[in-house]
Amino acid sequence: MSLEPLGVDDVYRIILDRIGAGDYARGSRLPSCRRLAGELGSNPSTVDRAVRRLAEMGLVRTVPRTGTYVATVGTPVVDSRGEIGDEIRRVLRRAWRSGVPLDEIRALIDDAVDELEVAPRIAFVECNRRDLQHMHSLVRRESGFEMQPVLLADAWGRTLDDEFDIVTTPVFHLNDLSDVVSDFDNVVEITFVASQSALRQLVNLRHARRLVVAAPTARGVSWMAAVVGQYFSGPIEHFHIGVDDSSRLEGVDVVVVNNAARLPDGWEGRIPNVVPIEWELDPRFATSFKERIGARLARRRKAVS
């Protein structure tokens, strides 16, 4: 039995989910419409319409004779109930049109719900959207756990450990969770380190006259300064992006900045050396994370029972 090709809505949602999960990173080029059509079981014209819809949202940009690139990672992190319902209905309609009997569809739904009931609900929390997608993708790939990405700004007013079995976050955001979790026994911190390429650049900064670390949050500035201080023995100046006056960057020869952040307009081209810090998982992460998640879940279930 041949399956009906995916429609525009289906292709749009798949590409959107891949951008949101970081599978298509910011600045990366999307596969061609023909390649995506073959991969997804659709056709090039349908994929092209889905890509144009993404472009209208500002999520991708097309460069003539070059290709289509991911322009931003500002995709919705959590779908509304209506969007989720629409997606479920689209899948069910596609199954019905493909000839799957109703009793088999109901059985598939029951099996999927049973899997959800036993699967742990895990949140991954980060303070900026770009790192949220990048880090969430790394953790999911290395651990095998499905996790719900949650932007820290979207967590205010909520109690995340009531919504989720486990809350995970980079170790440098532990203090930021104090207002959104009720019990830190339900929190598992994750250690991220600066990428090897960034560390090599930091080692070569020893002759810098004026070095500044820049980040969009005060805590981020402090954390970046601590990282850089392990490799640079001279004075380290702090710059809080969006708060400090950009004139403080005058005469600076090196700025170390979180890769998720951008310097004030016009300044990247005026500073001789800008070192972006990309975060990677601590190599010891994969071997311990599952054990720590399992231990937290066991304690929580014991407390509930």
Side-chain angles (χ1 to χ4, degrees), residues 24 69 93 138 170 189 220 225 242 257 269 283 298:
Y24 297 149
Y69 296 82
R93 284 195 296 268
L138 290 178
E189 72 280 5
V257 63

Side-chain angles (χ1 to χ4, degrees), residues 199-210:
L199 293 179
R200 283 193 290 270
Q201 293 183 70
L202 293 180
V203 169
N204 293 325
L205 298 180
R206 57 185 177 276
H207 300 305
R209 293 178 296 103
R210 285 189 62 199

Side-chain angles (χ1 to χ4, degrees), residues 90-251:
R90 283 196 296 270
V91 172
L92 294 179
R93 284 195 296 268
R94 191 166 77 244
W96 174 247
R97 291 195 300 266
S98 299
V100 181
L102 281 177
D103 58 344
E104 290 188 21
I105 292 176
R106 291 190 179 97
L108 289 172
I109 294 172
D110 289 341
D111 289 343
V113 171
D114 289 342
E115 290 179 9
L116 289 176
E117 287 179 342
V118 299
R121 298 166 302 158
I122 304 175
F124 179 81
V125 184
E126 228 296 312
C127 73
N128 70 76
R129 201 174 291 276
R130 194 269 180 188
D131 275 348
L132 176 67
Q133 306 296 357
H134 169 67
M135 292 177 169
H136 168 260
S137 180
L138 290 178
V139 175
R140 186 184 61 174
R141 184 168 63 245
E142 290 297 324
S143 70
F145 282 114
E146 287 298 326
M147 285 173 282
Q148 173 66 58
V150 177
L151 195 64
L152 186 60
D154 294 336
W156 301 127
R158 298 160 61 185
T159 304
L160 293 181
D161 49 336
D162 284 345
E163 300 178 30
F164 298 92
D165 299 311
I166 297 293
V167 179
T168 65
T169 193
V171 65
F172 39 83
H173 284 312
L174 274 178
N175 287 340
D176 297 322
L177 297 187
S178 58
D179 293 325
V180 296
V181 298
S182 61
D183 187 349
F184 269 83
D185 280 345
N186 300 322
V187 175
V188 176
E189 72 280 5
I190 303 172
T191 302
F192 285 87
V193 296
S195 67
Q196 290 300 309
S197 60
L199 293 179
R200 283 193 290 270
Q201 293 183 70
L202 293 180
V203 169
N204 293 325
L205 298 180
R206 57 185 177 276
H207 300 305
R209 293 178 296 103
R210 285 189 62 199
L211 181 145
V212 168
V213 293
T217 66
R219 193 181 302 280
V221 172
S222 298
W223 181 260
M224 294 275 290
V227 172
V228 174
Q230 299 177 52
Y231 302 89
F232 181 72
S233 58
I236 298 173
E237 301 178 40
H238 294 191
F239 184 81
H240 188 169
I241 297 173
V243 175
D244 292 338
D245 193 312
S246 60
S247 63
R248 293 181 54 187
L249 297 175
E250 200 73 56

Side-chain angles (χ1 to χ4, degrees), residues 244-290:
D244 292 338
D245 193 312
S246 60
S247 63
R248 293 181 54 187
L249 297 175
E250 200 73 56
V252 170
D253 52 341
V254 177
V255 171
V256 182
V257 63
N258 187 322
N259 207 28
R262 297 185 63 182
L263 294 178
D265 289 343
W267 279 94
E268 289 195 18
R270 297 172 59 181
I271 296 170
N273 190 4
V274 177
V275 179
I277 298 293
E278 184 64 274
W279 302 106
E280 295 178 350
L281 282 171
D282 187 306
R284 295 164 295 183
F285 161 80
T287 58
S288 64
F289 187 67
K290 290 184 179 181

